[in-house]
């Protein structure tokens, strides 16, 4: 068997050095072709140097280690390195993807390397299988990792920027290409469409009630049926009566 | 509803007593007829006035106090005239014959009704004022409890969020490496981590610390990052010596620094710089954290989770007297400033 070739990707110099020393102790036969300081460099090294193995830190500037693995389509065998990520570790375990925890210890490294040697030695690993494995990890993470919701909305007025905390927003109102943000104290215009905002905000806190309106539940003053049987929502600190379209009326029937 | 009708009955009973007293007085000064006739007419006037006024106030319960008062007075005057007629009839007198010689009694009754109207109105508003005050006290109580609850919650969050596991494990890995490659650097990093942990772990249990302590902690935190990020990070801390003793709630500036590193500089390929400065301006302590990082980039939704906590804490601690403001740094990055009264 030829000497195994590998690259190491981590944004912290000391951690790259640490892994390198440990690898030299545990697997002196391995050749380290290069080191990458961020995701983009890692991608470049994999494409140009064609290593057998890539030790990829998950959290890196540019693109994450997992994105690097996905983008290389199984061109090399990835081993992920993370300081702390419960969700990723869980996904690696279920999908039998190799990973290392920082600080990397010699004992743990030996174990992992034994596994990799077996897999690489018995038969060449199918690039397609590798690539689907990584894909499955990413999909699993999408489901299990708690979603981070938007906390602040950035608005710009000429030179100055304004960050609006989402819980101060009363409602959003689509207006042509813009979205109006109405808070207790002021109004802002942003270019982001309401449809996009809907996916970024916590659905428990913000309800779409109309094609052009999304309200902050906490700021609803009252909901009353109109003469035509539709619902009208009145927000606190605002005189506007917001109509609820038929598609969203079920939200209020349960109340 | 029950409470309201009880109040109405109470007021009506008071008015009956009041009228009786007036009738006794009138009879005593030998005005009008005998006591029984006066009593019948008097109570009749009282009841119609009372009924009219209440009917009007009920109908106009959403109108302004001025409208209510004018309408109630008109209703009382009308009620008074009606009461005279009804009362005279009830006492078995001929209305025409009875009033022919004394037309001025109408004017007297109307003036009297306006005076009682004022009295009535006064009693009503003072009762309303009392219930309003009680409601206000209740509202204040709820507000205070809400703020206290928020304080406990945010403090808890601060306590939970203070040591980011990612930060801790990456730092420990660094120390482990440095112990083999650069012993002195490793020792310094361990010292800084200890200082950071000691301050972070102990101070969240206290209500206030000093600005100096907060700055020392930030210094330790940034020292650690300086070693980890190397040339990718530069930092400056500028705090006048005489401000260091000022009391300050813990973990106010640190989350700004953490946010700048985590979301601004760490994800940026070429890294950047961070400037921490504190100024004393017109009775205001202005704490500024400036970075040259990414500020906002796509899919960075958890940007500013720590800042949301700060915003809530500032509100709970200083109400409207504190401010959290943002400015864009050129060519890139963000300037976040906290201002609190000294």
């Amino acid at each position: 068997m030829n000497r195994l070739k590998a690259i190491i990707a981590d944004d912290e110099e000391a951690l790259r050095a640490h892994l390198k020393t440990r690898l030299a102790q545990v697997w002196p036969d391995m050749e380290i072709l290069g080191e990458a300081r961020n995701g983009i460099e890692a991608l470049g090294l994999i494409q140009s140097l064609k290593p057998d193995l890539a030790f990829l830190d998950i959290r890196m500037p540019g693109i994450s280690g997992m994105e690097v693995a996905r983008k290389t389509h199984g061109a090399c065998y990835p081993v992920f390195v993370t300081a702390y990520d419960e969700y990723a570790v869980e996904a690696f375990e279920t999908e039998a993807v190799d990973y290392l925890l920082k600080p990397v210890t010699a004992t743990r490294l030996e174990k992992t390397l034994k596994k990799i040697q077996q897999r690489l030695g018995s038969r060449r690993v199918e690039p397609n299988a590798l690539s689907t494995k990584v894909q499955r990890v990413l999909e699993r993470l999408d489901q299990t990792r708690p979603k981070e919701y938007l906390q602040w909305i950035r608005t710009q007025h000429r030179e100055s920027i304004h960050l609006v905390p989402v819980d101060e927003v009363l409602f959003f109102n689509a207006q042509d290409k813009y979205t109006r943000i109405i808070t207790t104290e002021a109004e802002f215009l942003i270019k982001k469409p309401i449809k996009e905002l809907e996916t970024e905000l916590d659905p428990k806190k913000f309800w779409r009630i109309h094609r052009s309106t999304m309200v902050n539940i906490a700021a609803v003053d009252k909901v009353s049926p109109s003469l035509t049987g539709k619902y009208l929502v009145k927000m606190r600190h605002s005189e506007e009566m917001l109509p609820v379209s038929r598609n969203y009326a079920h939200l209020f029937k349960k109340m | 509803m029950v409470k309201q009708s009880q109040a109405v009955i109470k007021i009506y009973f008071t008015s009956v007593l009041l009228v009786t007293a007036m009738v006794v007085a009138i009879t005593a000064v030998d005005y009008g007829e005998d006591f029984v006739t006066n009593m019948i007419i008097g109570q009749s006037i009282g009841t119609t006035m009372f009924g009219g006024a209440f009917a009007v106030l009920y109908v106009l319960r959403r109108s302004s106090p001025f409208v209510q008062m004018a309408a109630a007075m008109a209703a009382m005057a009308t009620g008074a005239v009606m009461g005279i007629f009804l009362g005279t009839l009830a006492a078995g007198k001929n209305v025409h014959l009875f009033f022919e010689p004394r037309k001025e009694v109408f004017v007297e009754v109307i003036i009297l009704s306006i005076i009682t109207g004022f009295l009535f109105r006064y009693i009503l508003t003072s009762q309303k004022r009392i219930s309003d005050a009680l409601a206000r006290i209740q509202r204040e109580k709820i507000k205070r409890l809400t703020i206290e609850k928020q304080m406990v919650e945010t403090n808890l969050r601060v306590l939970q969020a203070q040591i980011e596991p990612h930060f801790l494990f990456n730092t420990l890995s660094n120390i482990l490496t440095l112990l083999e490659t650069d012993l002195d650097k490793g020792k310094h990093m361990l010292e800084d981590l200890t200082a950071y942990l000691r301050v972070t772990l102990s101070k969240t249990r206290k209500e206030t610390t000093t600005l100096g302590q907060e700055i020392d902690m930030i210094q330790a935190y940034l020292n650690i990052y300086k070693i980890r990020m190397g040339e990718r990070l530069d930092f400056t801390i500028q705090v006048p010596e005489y401000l260091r003793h000022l009391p300050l709630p813990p973990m106010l500036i640190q989350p700004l620094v953490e946010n700048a590193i985590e979301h601004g500089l760490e994800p940026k390929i070429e890294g950047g710089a961070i400037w921490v400065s504190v100024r004393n301006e017109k009775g205001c302590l202005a704490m500024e954290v400036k970075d040259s990082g990414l500020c906002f980039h796509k899919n960075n939704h958890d940007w500013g989770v720590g800042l949301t906590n700060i915003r809530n804490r500032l509100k709970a601690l200083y109400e409207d007297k504190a401010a959290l403001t943002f400015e864009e740094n050129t060519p890139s990055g963000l300037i976040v400033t906290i201002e609190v009264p000294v």
Side-chain angles (χ1 to χ4, degrees):
Chain A
M1 199 172 119
N2 293 334
R3 281 184 77 188
L4 265 182
K5 296 185 224 85
I7 64 145
I8 294 172
D10 195 310
D11 53 325
E12 295 185 30
E13 194 193 341
L15 301 189
R16 290 196 302 272
H18 183 67
L19 183 58
K20 210 172 163 180
T21 346
R22 288 284 172 278
L23 280 170
Q25 285 170 353
V26 176
W27 200 342
D29 232 16
M30 184 183 287
E31 187 185 348
I32 306 295
L33 297 179
E35 291 177 28
R37 293 169 300 174
N38 55 58
I40 292 163
E41 280 185 10
L43 201 59
L45 283 187
I46 292 172
Q47 279 158 357
S48 62
L49 303 174
K50 306 212 170 12
D52 306 296
L53 271 173
F55 293 91
L56 301 168
D57 181 20
I58 293 182
R59 213 197 255 193
M60 274 191 294
I63 48 176
S64 80
M66 281 199 246
E67 279 297 311
V68 172
R70 200 173 62 91
K71 281 189 160 84
T72 51
H73 305 291
C76 72
Y77 194 95
V79 180
F80 295 106
V81 190
T82 181
Y84 181 88
D85 193 334
E86 290 169 298
Y87 299 99
V89 165
E90 201 196 321
F92 294 151
E93 292 281 357
T94 28
E95 298 298 334
V97 167
D98 289 304
Y99 68 95
L100 291 168
L101 288 176
K102 290 190 239 183
V104 178
T105 59
T107 13
R108 173 69 216 227
L109 191 60
E110 252 171 72
K111 247 189 185 165
T112 309
L113 289 183
K114 221 167 254 165
K115 250 198 287 184
I116 296 168
Q117 264 168 331
Q118 273 171 6
R119 277 181 201 156
L120 289 180
S122 58
R123 57 196 152 84
R124 277 323 275 187
V125 185
E126 278 290 313
N128 278 345
L130 266 183
S131 159
T132 38
K133 253 188 181 181
V134 173
Q135 191 60 42
R136 275 212 300 274
V137 166
L138 286 169
E139 276 162 19
R140 193 174 285 272
L141 276 178
D142 255 357
Q143 290 159 13
T144 53
R145 190 178 275 162
K147 202 168 181 271
E148 301 282 3
Y149 294 110
L150 200 62
Q151 302 268 336
W152 302 78
I153 298 167
R154 178 184 195 259
T155 65
Q156 190 149 18
H157 183 71
R158 295 210 184 93
E159 297 287 278
S160 65
I161 58 161
H162 202 96
L163 292 172
V164 186
V166 293
D167 40 332
E168 268 180 23
V169 175
L170 300 178
F171 63 94
F172 299 94
N173 193 226
Q175 213 132 78
D176 299 325
K177 277 182 245 163
Y178 296 90
T179 300
R180 245 172 91 219
I181 303 176
I182 292 90
T183 72
T184 7
E185 279 137 31
E187 263 193 52
F188 306 93
L189 271 184
I190 55 165
K191 270 196 182 144
K192 198 179 267 186
I194 223 164
K195 219 168 146 187
E196 199 179 324
L197 276 169
E198 196 184 8
T199 62
E200 295 174 347
L201 291 163
D202 188 348
K204 285 200 195 86
K205 291 181 182 163
F206 289 88
W207 283 6
R208 189 84 177 269
I209 61 161
H210 190 272
R211 193 167 40 85
S212 62
T213 327
M214 183 160 55
V215 297
N216 182 352
I217 312 291
V220 170
D221 186 17
K222 59 182 176 196
V223 183
S224 44
S226 76
L227 290 174
T228 55
K230 281 188 176 175
Y231 289 101
L232 289 173
V233 177
K234 194 194 162 296
M235 306 302 292
R236 259 178 237 141
H237 315 289
S238 168
E239 290 308 312
E240 276 180 74
M241 296 297 278
L242 308 168
V244 179
S245 70
R246 228 166 274 283
N247 297 344
Y248 301 102
H250 65 276
L251 293 171
F252 295 96
K253 285 199 175 122
K254 282 180 269 175
M255 284 168 84
Chain B
M1 207 52 212
V2 177
K3 245 184 168 171
Q4 273 176 341
S5 38
Q6 269 178 354
V8 171
I9 290 166
K10 230 163 95 185
I11 296 169
Y12 180 62
F13 186 67
T14 323
S15 104
V16 169
L17 283 180
L18 199 76
V19 170
T20 311
M22 272 157 70
V23 169
V24 170
I26 287 167
T27 319
V29 296
D30 215 10
Y31 182 86
E33 303 283 309
D34 55 304
F35 177 73
V36 177
T37 315
N38 279 352
M39 188 66 178
I40 292 172
I41 297 175
Q43 293 299 355
S44 166
I45 294 172
T47 307
T48 45
M49 272 170 65
F50 180 83
F54 262 93
V56 159
L57 285 178
Y58 181 74
V59 171
L60 298 176
R61 61 189 179 281
R62 295 198 199 289
S63 310
S64 71
F66 180 76
V67 173
Q68 280 185 356
M69 182 146 160
M73 263 156 49
M76 280 181 152
T78 324
V81 176
M82 268 171 64
I84 293 171
F85 283 108
L86 289 175
T88 318
L89 282 173
K93 307 274 176 189
N94 182 311
V95 177
H96 188 69
L97 284 181
F98 190 72
F99 283 110
E100 194 50 58
R102 34 187 150 176
K103 282 182 184 131
E104 74 284 355
V105 81
F106 283 101
V107 182
E108 285 163 12
V109 166
I110 287 170
I111 292 172
L112 205 66
S113 70
I114 289 174
I115 295 169
T116 39
F118 270 117
L119 267 170
F120 228 64
R121 181 72 215 160
Y122 177 75
I123 293 167
L124 277 181
T125 44
S126 57
Q127 260 190 350
K128 193 170 174 321
R129 230 173 289 156
I130 291 167
S131 63
D132 276 358
L134 283 175
R136 207 168 47 238
I137 290 168
Q138 199 67 25
R139 271 203 305 276
E140 286 293 321
K141 225 177 181 172
I142 291 170
K143 197 173 143 198
R144 210 189 59 231
L145 285 175
T146 318
I147 288 174
E148 273 171 19
K149 183 173 146 269
Q150 269 173 356
M151 274 302 279
V152 172
E153 278 175 4
T154 26
N155 274 339
L156 206 68
R157 268 200 297 272
V158 168
L159 200 72
Q160 286 164 343
Q162 60 193 324
I163 301 156
E164 221 256 311
H166 229 274
F167 165 77
L168 192 59
F169 287 117
N170 265 323
T171 306
L172 288 173
S173 308
N174 265 275
I175 294 172
L176 215 57
T177 315
L178 291 171
L179 290 182
E180 289 168 13
T181 54
D182 191 338
L183 202 55
D184 269 350
K185 227 180 186 177
K187 269 194 208 155
H188 284 308
M189 202 174 193
L190 196 53
E191 276 166 15
D192 281 325
L193 182 65
T194 311
Y196 171 78
L197 291 179
R198 192 180 302 288
V199 182
T200 329
L201 288 171
S202 69
K203 76 196 229 173
T204 28
R205 297 191 198 116
K206 282 192 231 154
E207 289 289 302
T208 52
T209 50
T210 60
L211 175 62
Q213 272 175 298
E214 177 92 350
I215 291 298
D216 287 343
M217 196 254 277
I218 290 168
Q219 174 84 46
Y221 181 81
L222 286 173
N223 282 344
I224 292 170
Y225 263 104
K226 174 68 196 158
I227 297 179
R228 287 180 45 187
M229 291 175 66
E231 282 176 1
R232 287 178 62 227
L233 177 71
D234 275 315
F235 74 89
T236 321
I237 298 178
Q238 268 180 324
V239 179
E241 197 56 42
Y242 71 95
L243 292 176
R244 286 182 59 96
H245 71 279
L246 285 178
L248 194 75
M251 299 297 264
L252 267 193
I253 317 177
Q254 206 274 341
L256 303 185
V257 176
E258 206 173 306
N259 197 62
I261 293 265
E262 228 176 89
H263 299 286
L265 300 169
E266 238 195 337
K268 194 176 177 180
I269 289 182
E270 62 272 38
I274 182 163
W275 298 266
V276 180
S277 61
V278 180
R279 302 180 303 273
N280 190 1
E281 277 175 355
K282 300 167 251 156
C284 229
L285 197 63
M287 297 161 273
E288 183 190 280
V289 174
K290 181 162 84 171
D291 70 72
S292 64
L294 290 176
C295 177
F296 292 93
H297 56 278
K298 250 194 161 177
N299 300 325
N300 192 5
H301 295 168
D302 59 334
W303 184 93
V305 179
L307 300 192
T308 310
N309 279 344
I310 292 191
R311 192 177 67 95
N312 294 339
R313 281 177 74 211
L314 286 178
K315 219 174 248 171
L317 289 163
Y318 301 97
E319 284 169 24
D320 295 330
K321 289 181 215 89
L324 174 67
T325 49
F326 305 91
E327 253 176 280
E328 202 144 0
N329 193 11
T330 42
S332 75
L334 192 68
I335 308 170
V336 188
T337 313
I338 294 179
E339 283 173 311
V340 299
V342 183

